[in-house]
Amino acid sequence: GELWSEDCKFAAWTRVEFAVLEAFGVDTSLFADVIAKIDRNAIEEYEKRTKHDMNAFLRHLSELLPDEARSYLHKGLTSYDVEDTALGLLLQGATSQILEELRLAKDILWAKACEHKSTLQIGRTHGVHAEPITFGFKLLNWYAELDWYEELIVLLRRYWEVGKISGAVGTYAHIDPSFEEQVCAELSLSLPGIATQIIPRGRFGLYFSVLTLLAGSLEKFATDIRLLAQTEIGEVKESKGAEEQGSSAMPHKSAVMFANSIKSENICALARYVRGLTIPAYENQVTWHERDLANSANERMTFKDASIAIDFMLFRFRNVLENLRVFPAQMRENLNLSRGMIFSGELLNALMNKGVPRDDAYSVVKSLVLATEDPKTGRPKTSFKKSAMADETICAYLSEDEIRQCFNPGRQLKHIKTIFKRFEKKRRVQIGKELGEGG
């Protein structure tokens, strides 16, 4: 919020103007304290009369500068030379903040994934029991997704952290092109190559696109937590403080079993808001000729709102993870609800390994599944393993021990450690780079 404040915006505008003054040969170190003297209220008073924010800002800034600097202030520039270049500076700060929050969330995810590397859980497809996974494996999937976003943002940030100093319609009519190179290098911003009076808005559409994708992933994780926290599943729960109340009408909502997943729901609600902000960002690509104001008004809100929302979503997600209550016993109980039917794939493959054609093996196992199921309840009426051991066709190919091994979840999870090691290696490399960059 502080980053996107009016005070911070005016400070960024001043940094751009100072970089241009330096290009003209003015030593701005002699009046470096001017940035701290910028008075937002004074600018707003001027703007009430001029109806032009940049002219109001320049009038105030001019009053704070010595005579030798005033004659070069804003020379050869147009408003959006300053505003778009300053936006690049603000996006520098926003992107760095988002990356920092993203890395903190990754650290928590990694710790939780390692903690629950071997915590058995049923994997679900279409919301229905599929095959065993571990809760750590689920969290590692989330970690990998955030890891990808970190790589993506680091790779793409140079496309939206950009500046331009080229004048009213971008032709450098009143300022040398070398000034743009010098100013952008000073501010660590990329060059657009060419621009009209404004930087092409597709670059900023890219920023919103990445934030929207990140918001969608956070919503996916939060939705998974909400589903696992349903009373009928009860495998995880958001933590609640002793004084927290879940409902004004239902005191039982204060109990762990019936706690509402409100923080995860917050994340889902904000993801919808961020997606909505992408629409005006895309619409802003179209401007009349070299410039109009079709993008200006909404951008005063969209950059700020999307950046703050994503930062908060990452913070909230991290808070949920840090305090998440995990119930391994309930996970094991849910896994056993099928009474062994979730191992049908293992039984299928075991028969195929003995030379049984796939269609024949599938037909045998499917028939056994249907025979084990109670048509009235849709639940298994007996142990699927016992049914398999009693089936003559299966026993003709598999020994009792081979059948028993088909119901060992360890067989399906034999590569979990390998998957974790893959990320352990990558994580060591990332941490090494961060330490190297930090000296």
Side-chain angles (χ1 to χ4, degrees):
E2 183 180 340
L3 174 67
W4 292 100
S5 67
E6 289 292 287
D7 288 334
C8 203
K9 180 185 79 173
F10 291 135
W13 286 8
T14 306
R15 284 183 63 194
V16 176
E17 292 285 1
F18 274 26
V20 175
L21 288 175
E22 288 282 350
F24 275 113
V26 177
D27 185 1
T28 59
S29 65
L30 299 176
F31 42 88
D33 60 333
V34 164
I35 293 180
K37 296 178 181 178
I38 297 293
D39 185 348
R40 174 169 51 87
N41 294 323
I43 296 170
E44 289 173 354
E45 282 301 314
Y46 285 138
E47 188 178 354
K48 287 177 183 177
R49 301 199 295 274
T50 63
K51 306 301 180 185
H52 194 286
D53 56 356
M54 183 56 66
N55 277 324
F57 164 76
L58 291 170
R59 179 172 177 178
H60 175 62
L61 181 59
S62 180
E63 293 171 347
L64 301 175
L65 293 176
D67 291 340
E68 64 269 22
R70 285 182 194 145
S71 59
Y72 293 103
L73 180 64
H74 206 68
K75 185 177 180 180
L77 306 188
T78 188
S79 297
Y80 259 72
D81 285 331
V82 178
E83 293 195 36
D84 266 356
T85 305
L87 176 59
L89 292 175
L90 296 178
L91 288 174
Q92 262 182 4
T95 303
S96 294
Q97 171 67 18
I98 290 166
L99 278 172
E100 181 181 343
E101 202 62 55
L102 185 62
R103 286 162 180 156
L104 290 172
K106 277 178 57 185
D107 287 343
I108 296 298
L109 264 177
W110 179 256
K112 287 284 184 181
C114 290
E115 179 185 350
H116 292 286
K117 184 190 297 187
S118 302
T119 301
L120 272 179
Q121 184 185 34
I122 185 62
R124 297 172 172 90
T125 55
H126 309 278
V128 179
H129 286 203
E131 291 191 354
I133 60 171
T134 70
F135 187 56
F137 175 77
K138 179 186 284 288
L139 297 180
L140 187 63
N141 270 275
W142 299 357
Y143 174 90
E145 212 160 322
L146 291 190
D147 189 57
W148 178 74
Y149 283 112
E150 181 183 355
E151 291 180 359
L152 190 67
I153 292 170
V154 169
L155 178 69
L156 297 179
R157 63 185 301 178
R158 67 189 179 92
Y159 293 115
W160 59 70
E161 293 175 9
V162 64
K164 59 92 63 178
I165 305 291
S166 55
V169 289
T171 60
Y172 306 96
H174 308 291
I175 196 165
D176 193 274
S178 64
F179 277 44
E180 183 177 73
E181 296 175 12
Q182 186 174 334
V183 169
C184 289
E186 172 69 23
L187 301 174
S188 299
L189 296 174
S190 300
L191 293 168
I194 188 171
T196 60
Q197 193 172 101
I198 60 173
I199 289 170
R201 267 29 211 170
R203 288 176 175 267
F204 303 127
L206 181 62
Y207 177 73
F208 283 91
S209 295
V210 172
L211 295 194
T212 297
L213 289 170
L214 175 54
S217 288
L218 292 172
E219 182 182 14
K220 182 180 82 169
F221 308 156
T223 299
D224 220 345
I225 290 172
R226 292 169 61 190
L227 291 170
L228 293 175
Q230 292 180 107
T231 306
E232 292 83 355
I233 297 177
E235 294 181 0
V236 302
K237 287 287 182 181
E238 288 183 9
S239 290
K240 296 178 71 68
E243 297 297 318
E244 288 186 51
Q245 297 177 347
S247 168
S248 63
M250 297 172 283
H252 73 270
K253 287 287 190 175
S254 299
V256 172
M257 181 179 178
F258 302 107
N260 296 329
S261 303
I262 58 172
K263 293 176 182 177
S264 297
E265 290 167 2
N266 291 166
I267 293 170
C268 294
L270 287 171
R272 296 171 183 179
Y273 182 58
V274 172
R275 275 196 291 277
L277 295 175
T278 306
I279 301 301
Y282 286 176
E283 298 285 354
N284 288 342
Q285 282 187 268
V286 181
T287 54
W288 287 13
H289 302 300
E290 280 61 57
R291 175 71 174 123
D292 69 9
L293 287 176
N295 65 295
S296 178
N298 68 60
E299 284 183 351
R300 293 168 188 261
M301 298 173 284
T302 54
F303 281 105
K304 172 183 176 181
D305 287 0
S307 302
I308 291 174
I310 281 290
D311 185 62
F312 178 76
M313 288 170 70
L314 285 164
F315 168 78
R316 173 130 289 186
F317 178 60
R318 178 160 56 90
N319 179 257
V320 169
L321 288 174
E322 283 179 313
N323 301 292
L324 190 68
R325 300 188 66 172
V326 181
F327 303 104
Q330 185 62 35
M331 290 180 178
R332 172 73 78 158
E333 185 174 325
N334 289 341
L335 186 142
N336 290 331
L337 284 174
S338 71
R339 301 190 71 180
M341 282 191 183
I342 57 172
F343 298 103
S344 67
E346 278 294 310
L347 197 57
L348 169 67
N349 282 293
L351 289 171
M352 290 172 65
N353 288 338
K354 293 292 185 177
V356 181
R358 183 190 177 282
D359 286 349
D360 293 344
Y362 194 98
S363 179
V364 168
V365 176
K366 179 183 175 182
S367 297
L368 188 63
V369 166
L370 295 177
T372 306
E373 182 182 49
D374 185 340
K376 293 182 179 179
T377 64
R379 297 294 179 93
K381 57 188 177 183
T382 186
S383 163
F384 186 63
K385 180 165 70 173
K386 289 182 178 178
S387 297
M389 287 184 166
D391 186 88
E392 292 182 1
T393 304
I394 291 175
C395 289
Y397 292 97
L398 301 174
S399 68
E400 187 176 298
D401 185 61
E402 286 173 327
I403 295 173
R404 189 179 295 110
Q405 283 302 311
C406 291
F407 293 83
N408 176 10
R411 281 176 55 158
Q412 290 162 307
L413 302 173
K414 58 182 176 292
H415 294 303
I416 292 292
K417 289 183 179 179
T418 302
I419 298 169
F420 268 85
K421 284 180 180 178
R422 183 184 300 164
F423 283 93
E424 283 173 5
K425 182 179 180 181
K426 185 177 181 182
R427 188 170 168 80
R428 282 196 299 270
V429 171
Q430 289 174 336
I431 292 172
K433 284 183 179 178
E434 290 170 13
L435 290 174
E437 290 168 2

